[in-house]
């Protein structure tokens, strides 16, 4: 078979990314972040869409240049159909459709959460099927049973906030800038994770909930700062370590339950929160005691990136799974 080259676009949230993949090998993965949101303490959807419009052409050009790919080499254009911010998705989808139409090649619609998992097939070592993937990011928290590259079943997911959102909202209450997850991780390194105790939610099955934790942090900080206005400044490392400890214990507790009940010992981690040092060390320690093989992709493939979209696009290409030009982006999209 002639070689297959996929150009891919990811624009679901606040990063504009383009990648090139030839026969399952990633040749380029360019990501342009958006600093504009820092000012507002969170992603502002309208500003995100505008920044995607400004970034998309230079990002695609940079990816093709880095890969050494000419327009005539492209076999198909893959893009993130959803879930995500609708205005942001629209920019990527519209670009993908126009570019593909101009080149006379098909388009491939990719599910963002499926792509986070397929990111495990970019580099070695690759997990063996079936495996469980804990996907944790600013927008998602899921435990997924993965039977094949494109055959996945969600076993559990968050009923409210995502794990990254829990980190970011806790950080905001502590007066830290957005996104606060990495800062909590940083302060927690110097702190005692058992100094303060935050509640563990009682959720059935493999589902998660972080809203109760958020409320308990709010009341905890309100009560302590009422007695001592310097409470946060004087105890920041211990507070961060204790919050982080609870978020990680909620995630790993459900993951262990899912692994024990399915009997699966191939365990993968995906999403931006996989950068968290306590989650990484906790997962590796749990993996050692439970006899798991643990897979954590390179960080550039854990956060939002187009390489994972290209890889998923490649598997879909091999199956002939193309989209029609009437395909529309969806803010909410079921994983099939
Ligand atoms: O996957 P990602 O880059 O974007 C989304 O799809 O959401 O994940 C970003 C999230 C943010 O909530 C950020 O605070 C969190 O990942 N994050 C962390 C760390 N690094 C990134 N949370 C805790 N500890 C970290 N080291
Ligand atoms: Zn994501």
């Amino acid at each position: 078979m002639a070689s297959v080259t996929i150009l891919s676009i990811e624009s679901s949230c606040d990063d504009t990314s383009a990648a090139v993949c030839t026969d399952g090998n990633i040749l380029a993965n360019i990501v342009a972040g958006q600093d504009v949101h820092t000012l507002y303490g969170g992603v502002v959807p309208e500003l995100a869409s505008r920044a995607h419009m400004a970034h998309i052409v230079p990002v695609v050009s940079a990816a093709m240049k880095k890969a050494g790919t000419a327009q005539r080499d492209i076999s198909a254009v893959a893009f993130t159909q959803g879930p995500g911010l609708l205005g942001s998705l629209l920019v990527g989808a519209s670009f993908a459709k126009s570019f593909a139409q101009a080149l006379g090649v098909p388009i491939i619609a990719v599910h963002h959460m499926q792509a986070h998992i397929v990111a495990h097939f970019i580099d070695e070592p690759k997990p063996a099927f079936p495996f469980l993937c804990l996907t944790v990011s600013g927008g998602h928290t899921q435990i997924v049973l993965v039977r094949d590259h494109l055959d996945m079943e969600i076993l559990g997911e968050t009923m409210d906030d995502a794990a990254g959102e829990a980190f970011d909202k806790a950080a905001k209450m502590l007066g830290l800038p957005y996104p606060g997850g990495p800062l909590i991780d940083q302060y927690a390194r110097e702190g005692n994770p058992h100094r303060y105790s935050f509640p563990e939610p009682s959720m059935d099955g493999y589902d998660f909930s972080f809203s109760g934790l958020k409320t308990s942090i709010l009341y905890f900080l309100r009560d302590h700062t009422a007695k001592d206005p310097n409470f946060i400044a004087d105890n920041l490392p211990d507070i961060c370590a204790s919050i982080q400890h609870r978020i990680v214990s909620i995630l790993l507790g459900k993951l262990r339950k899912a692994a024990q009940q399915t009997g699966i010992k191939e365990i993968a981690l995906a999403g931006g929160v996989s950068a968290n040092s306590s989650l990484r060390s906790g997962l590796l320690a749990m993996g050692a005691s439970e006899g798991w093989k643990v897979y954590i992709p390179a960080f550039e493939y854990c956060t939002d990136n187009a390489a994972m979209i290209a890889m998923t696009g490649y598997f879909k290409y091999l199956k002939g799974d193309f989209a029609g030009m009437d395909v529309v982006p969806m803010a909410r999209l079921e994983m099939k």
Side-chain angles (χ1 to χ4, degrees):
M1 194 170 92
S3 76
V4 175
T5 292
I6 309 287
L7 172 78
S8 66
I9 314 287
E10 152 63 32
S11 68
S12 64
C13 189
D14 61 342
D15 290 316
T16 317
S17 181
V20 177
C21 161
T22 294
D23 296 334
N25 299 307
I26 298 297
L27 304 183
N29 178 45
I30 304 291
V31 184
Q34 303 183 352
D35 293 337
V36 61
H37 308 289
T38 319
L39 283 172
Y40 304 96
V43 176
V44 183
E46 183 53 33
L47 296 180
S49 314
R50 290 184 207 182
H52 283 305
M53 298 228 290
H55 290 162
I56 193 141
V57 171
V59 164
V60 169
S61 307
M64 289 179 58
K65 189 167 175 209
K66 177 153 187 224
T69 299
Q71 292 188 1
R72 65 173 178 280
D73 301 331
I74 295 171
S75 317
V77 181
F79 67 97
T80 306
Q81 186 190 4
L85 299 171
L86 192 56
S88 295
L89 291 165
L90 265 168
V91 177
S94 310
F95 180 90
K97 285 184 192 180
S98 344
F99 199 43
Q101 210 151 31
L103 297 175
V105 299
I107 52 171
I108 300 171
V110 173
H111 191 287
H112 181 85
M113 298 310 296
Q114 189 164 51
H116 266 300
I117 296 170
V118 174
H120 286 90
F121 296 95
I122 295 175
D123 284 334
E124 298 294 339
K126 300 178 169 77
F129 300 116
F131 65 91
L132 293 179
C133 185
L134 172 68
T135 311
V136 275
S137 73
H140 345 278
T141 306
Q142 293 183 333
I143 295 179
V144 180
L145 167 62
V146 188
R147 297 192 187 89
D148 203 350
H149 296 120
L150 302 173
D151 180 4
M152 308 180 181
E153 182 188 338
I154 298 170
L155 300 184
E157 61 190 329
T158 184
M159 297 290 109
D160 39 62
D161 291 346
E165 218 174 342
F167 271 108
D168 295 338
K169 287 182 177 172
K172 195 169 183 177
M173 290 186 246
L174 293 169
L176 301 173
Y178 175 85
L183 291 168
I184 293 207
D185 190 0
Q186 201 179 313
Y187 286 111
R189 282 165 210 254
E190 313 293 322
N192 172 3
H194 303 291
R195 170 93 182 271
Y196 306 110
S197 172
F198 293 102
E200 179 129 25
S202 56
M203 289 294 291
D204 287 341
Y206 308 122
D207 287 333
F208 300 92
S209 168
F210 291 100
S211 66
L213 175 64
K214 181 175 64 185
T215 310
S216 77
I217 296 170
L218 184 70
Y219 290 160
F220 166 85
L221 294 175
R222 182 195 63 187
D223 295 348
H224 280 276
T225 46
K227 283 182 244 153
D228 170 11
N230 293 326
F231 174 73
I232 294 178
D234 291 346
N235 299 284
L236 193 55
D238 288 347
I239 301 171
C240 288
S242 302
I243 292 171
Q244 175 171 283
H245 171 73
R246 178 52 73 221
I247 296 174
V248 169
S249 84
I250 293 171
L251 294 171
L252 292 183
K254 291 284 177 169
L255 184 60
R256 175 161 54 199
K257 185 172 166 188
Q260 286 176 345
Q261 293 185 352
T262 57
I264 293 173
K265 290 183 184 293
E266 295 276 309
I267 308 290
L269 182 64
V273 181
S274 65
N276 185 266
S277 53
S278 168
L279 179 60
R280 279 175 174 251
S281 58
L283 178 61
L284 293 173
M286 187 174 276
S289 70
E290 299 281 320
W292 297 344
K293 270 179 94 172
V294 173
Y295 301 86
I296 308 177
F299 188 60
E300 92 171 285
Y301 302 135
C302 278
T303 55
D304 286 348
N305 68 87
M308 68 186 194
I309 306 299
M311 208 62 200
T312 313
Y314 175 66
F315 290 122
K316 288 192 143 193
Y317 186 99
L318 295 182
K319 284 180 66 180
D321 186 353
F322 302 110
M325 279 294 164
D326 56 350
V327 66
V328 286
M330 311 275 279
R332 290 170 165 273
L333 183 63
E334 292 290 310
M335 192 158 81
K336 283 180 284 189

